[in-house]
Amino acid sequence: MSAPAITAATPEAARFLQIFGVEHRTTMNVLQALPADKLDFKPHERHWTAAQLAWHIATSQYVVARIVAAGRFEMEPQTPAPASLQEIVDGAENCYQKACETLGALTAEQLAARIPLPGGRSMSASSLMWSGVLFHQIHHRGQLSIYIRLMGGKVPSIYGPSADENPFA
């Protein structure tokens, strides 16, 4: 995985991309920790399979980045998850690169603009960039770490040691 070779148009986008890059490395570690032979696992009948959740993490960063750049909220149906973990990991890296390019090009005016949301609310593009791209990914990454544990996999260090990995030891 490589850092995107982009220059952000604004200081806020530059700061976002710096933090997003750190979080992306952690997200990739979590995705790669999924037991590749158990992608059909789901902890409850109402939950997504591990593959569906991982694919949502992989693709939503770019989907939301496009919403932020367009200045309008138009959700897309989630595409079916690929059959292999490697395809999910590769897709996550590709979507990350495209999200960084999209968000790095935003102007201060675009980031300040209000985006109408479903239900009559609105949010600044800047807020949606942080909550819809970054915090959304962190939220689902936490869910996926529980799947990994339940699947018998080893949970990587996220913000500190896990029961399986201690970066400080």
Side-chain angles (χ1 to χ4, degrees), residues 5-155:
I6 59 169
T7 302
T10 68
E12 182 179 7
R15 180 75 177 135
F16 174 86
L17 292 174
Q18 178 185 24
I19 294 168
F20 189 38
V22 171
E23 293 297 335
H24 173 70
R25 288 188 291 279
T26 303
T27 297
M28 294 303 286
N29 289 340
V30 171
L31 289 173
Q32 292 165 340
L34 272 172
D37 61 338
K38 297 180 181 177
L39 294 178
D40 59 344
F41 172 81
K42 56 166 58 178
H44 187 273
E45 69 269 2
R46 292 190 323 214
H47 289 100
W48 281 337
T49 65
Q52 290 170 317
L53 179 55
W55 189 238
H56 179 69
I57 293 167
T59 59
S60 63
Q61 57 192 332
Y62 183 47
V63 169
V64 178
R66 289 195 319 260
I67 290 169
V68 171
R72 65 183 175 282
F73 193 91
E74 292 180 17
M75 281 307 301
E76 304 170 6
Q78 180 156 328
T79 58
S84 77
L85 180 57
Q86 189 59 54
E87 289 173 288
I88 293 170
V89 168
D90 291 346
E93 185 63 35
N94 183 47
C95 286
Y96 167 72
Q97 295 289 335
K98 292 192 293 188
C100 287
E101 291 167 8
T102 301
L103 297 170
L106 296 175
T107 65
E109 292 77 24
Q110 286 175 296
L111 288 170
R114 305 279 312 165
I115 297 176
L117 301 175
R121 299 177 303 133
S122 70
M123 180 181 281
S124 72
S126 172
S127 294
L128 187 56
M129 176 177 68
W130 286 94
S131 65
V133 177
L134 185 63
F135 302 149
H136 177 256
Q137 184 176 95
I138 292 168
H139 160 74
H140 285 305
R141 185 176 71 198
Q143 288 180 306
L144 195 59
S145 70
I146 298 299
Y147 277 48
I148 293 167
R149 173 65 67 227
L150 295 172
M151 294 163 70
K154 293 186 178 198
V155 177

